[in-house]
């Protein structure tokens, strides 16, 4: 009797022991949670640690940061907008919708000496382009002259600028005389110096230079047609704004020498000098074309000093040269991309 009672009391305890062991075995996966918890720092709910917020970049860091992919998009948009405006003006004035008489209308009543003045001015303009191209090709084929023209640095930049400005001022200061004279020699020297300065552009290659010349010819032809079809004094009031824009573009070109285009501010200055200069000198071409025609019309026929076609052509020549340089630079940059 006692044995049965002992056996009956022992069985339930054995069952309980088996169940507890199974429960313990089943609880083993929870050890991984404990281990993972022990590996990480315990959060202190009483004294929470303050998380340091990221510091906002300063203005200098923003300006010196690498430029975005759309750094030149604003300049490209300005050029595209100017092209649309120019095309609209060409269509508007080309169909004769202007209210005032244009240069093309006045050309019918021009005396012969006015036509000769304009023809001689554009003849010197064509001669300037030929002399500059020949000088650039000659310098590019001479290793010694090319190394001198390609020399960088602040000193060489200001030296070349002084040569260009000085030779141009010397040419303008001389009195024009028919036939070959000192003014013609100074004019040829000025064109040769400009050719030597732009000779490093030949590194872009013949195809790009040819395309740039064709694009420049198309732009110059279109703008000249607008100036001829528009009222004869339509663009003569643009002198003040164009002078201000020239100062901005010149300052941007100088500042880009110290700030490379690999930064935000450098890319902005380069875009202003490149695309802003393209729009600016296109406006200068409209202004200088109408100014040349006006000067040929009103200059006295029997004056002490004769009409100077060299001085009249130099402004248009410099406008076209600046347009060509910027188009070649843009095409060269697109090829590198």
């Amino acid at each position: 009797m006692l044995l049965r009672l002992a056996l009956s009391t022992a069985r339930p305890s054995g069952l309980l022991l088996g169940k507890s062991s199974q429960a313990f075995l089943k609880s083993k996966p929870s050890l991984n949670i404990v281990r993972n918890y022990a590996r990480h720092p315990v959060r202190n709910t009483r004294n929470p640690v303050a998380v340091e917020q990221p510091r906002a970049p300063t203005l200098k860091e923003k300006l010196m940061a690498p430029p975005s992919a759309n750094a030149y998009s604003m300049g490209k948009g300005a050029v595209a907008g100017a092209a649309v405006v120019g095309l609209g003006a060409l269509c508007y004035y080309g169909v004769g919708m202007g209210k005032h008489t244009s240069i093309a209308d006045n050309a019918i009543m021009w005396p012969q000496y006015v036509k000769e003045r304009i023809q001689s001015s554009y003849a010197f303009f064509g001669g300037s382009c030929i002399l500059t191209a020949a000088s650039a090709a000659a310098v590019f084929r001479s290793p010694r002259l090319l190394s001198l023209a390609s020399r960088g640095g602040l000193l060489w930049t200001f030296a070349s600028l002084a040569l260009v400005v000085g030779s141009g001022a010397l040419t303008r200061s001389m009195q024009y005389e028919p036939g070959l004279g000192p003014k013609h020699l100074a004019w040829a020297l000025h064109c040769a110096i400009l050719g030597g300065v732009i000779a490093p552009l030949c590194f872009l290659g013949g195809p790009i230079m040819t395309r740039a010349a064709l694009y420049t010819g198309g732009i110059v032809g279109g703008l000249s047609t607008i100036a001829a079809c528009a009222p004869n004094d339509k663009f003569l009031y643009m002198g003040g704004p164009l002078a201000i824009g020239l100062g901005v573009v010149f300052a941007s070109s100088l500042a880009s020498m110290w700030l490379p285009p690999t930064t935000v501010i450098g890319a902005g200055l380069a875009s202003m000098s490149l695309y802003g200069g393209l729009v600016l000198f296109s406006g200068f071409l409209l202004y200088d074309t109408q100014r040349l025609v006006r000067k040929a019309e009103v200059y006295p026929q029997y004056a002490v000093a004769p009409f100077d076609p060299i001085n009249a052509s130099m402004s248009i020549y410099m406008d076209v040269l600046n347009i060509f340089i910027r188009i070649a630079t843009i095409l060269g940059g697109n090829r590198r991309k």
Side-chain angles (χ1 to χ4, degrees), residues 9-309:
T9 55
R11 287 175 182 173
S13 62
L15 293 172
L16 291 174
L17 181 61
K19 290 181 179 180
S20 63
S21 63
Q22 291 177 1
F24 178 75
L25 291 174
K26 291 181 179 179
S27 65
K28 281 185 178 181
S30 63
L31 294 176
N32 295 328
I33 300 175
V34 177
R35 291 172 182 170
N36 291 332
Y37 179 78
R39 289 172 184 169
H40 295 282
V42 182
R43 295 181 180 178
N44 188 1
T45 58
R46 294 182 180 180
N47 298 319
V49 179
V51 180
E52 184 179 357
Q53 297 293 333
R55 183 178 61 86
T58 61
L59 179 61
K60 181 179 179 181
E61 292 175 348
K62 291 180 180 179
L63 294 178
M64 300 304 293
S68 62
N70 299 324
Y72 295 93
S73 59
M74 186 176 296
K76 294 178 181 178
V79 172
V84 171
V85 173
L87 184 60
L90 181 61
C91 296
Y92 179 80
Y93 294 120
V95 297
M97 297 181 66
K99 297 181 180 180
H100 303 282
T101 57
S102 63
I103 294 176
D105 297 331
N106 294 336
I108 302 175
M109 299 178 293
W110 279 346
Q112 185 62 29
Y113 68 88
V114 175
K115 297 179 181 179
E116 291 177 354
R117 289 173 177 176
I118 296 177
Q119 291 173 0
S120 60
S121 298
Y122 276 97
F124 278 107
F125 164 70
S128 301
C129 296
I130 295 174
L131 286 175
T132 302
S135 175
V139 171
F140 185 73
R141 294 184 177 183
S142 174
R144 183 173 299 179
L145 294 178
L146 183 60
S147 63
L148 181 63
S150 304
R151 183 178 301 175
L154 185 63
L155 182 61
W156 169 246
T157 301
F158 282 105
S160 60
L161 183 62
L163 283 175
V164 171
V165 175
S167 60
L170 177 64
T171 304
R172 289 180 179 274
S173 63
M174 292 183 176
Q175 184 176 348
Y176 174 79
E177 296 178 359
L180 184 62
K183 189 177 182 68
H184 294 77
L185 298 178
W187 161 74
L189 177 63
H190 176 64
C191 296
I193 292 174
L194 283 171
V197 170
I198 68 171
L201 282 177
C202 297
F203 283 113
L204 296 175
I208 289 183
M209 299 294 285
T210 304
R211 287 174 58 193
L214 293 176
Y215 292 167
T216 303
I219 293 174
V220 172
L223 292 174
S224 300
T225 304
I226 293 174
C229 296
N232 54 2
D233 58 350
K234 181 69 176 180
F235 304 110
L236 293 179
Y237 302 101
M238 295 170 56
L242 289 174
I244 296 174
L246 180 62
V248 173
V249 171
F250 182 73
S252 301
S253 301
L254 289 181
S256 61
M257 295 170 53
W258 291 278
L259 297 171
T262 55
T263 59
V264 173
I265 185 172
L269 292 173
S271 177
M272 176 65 69
S273 175
L274 193 61
Y275 295 99
L278 182 59
V279 176
L280 175 71
F281 287 105
S282 297
F284 263 116
L285 183 60
L286 294 172
Y287 170 78
D288 290 329
T289 300
Q290 289 199 342
R291 191 181 65 168
L292 185 152
V293 174
R294 174 61 63 87
K295 189 173 182 179
E297 290 176 341
V298 301
Y299 194 84
Q301 185 178 3
Y302 302 101
V304 177
F307 177 79
D308 194 339

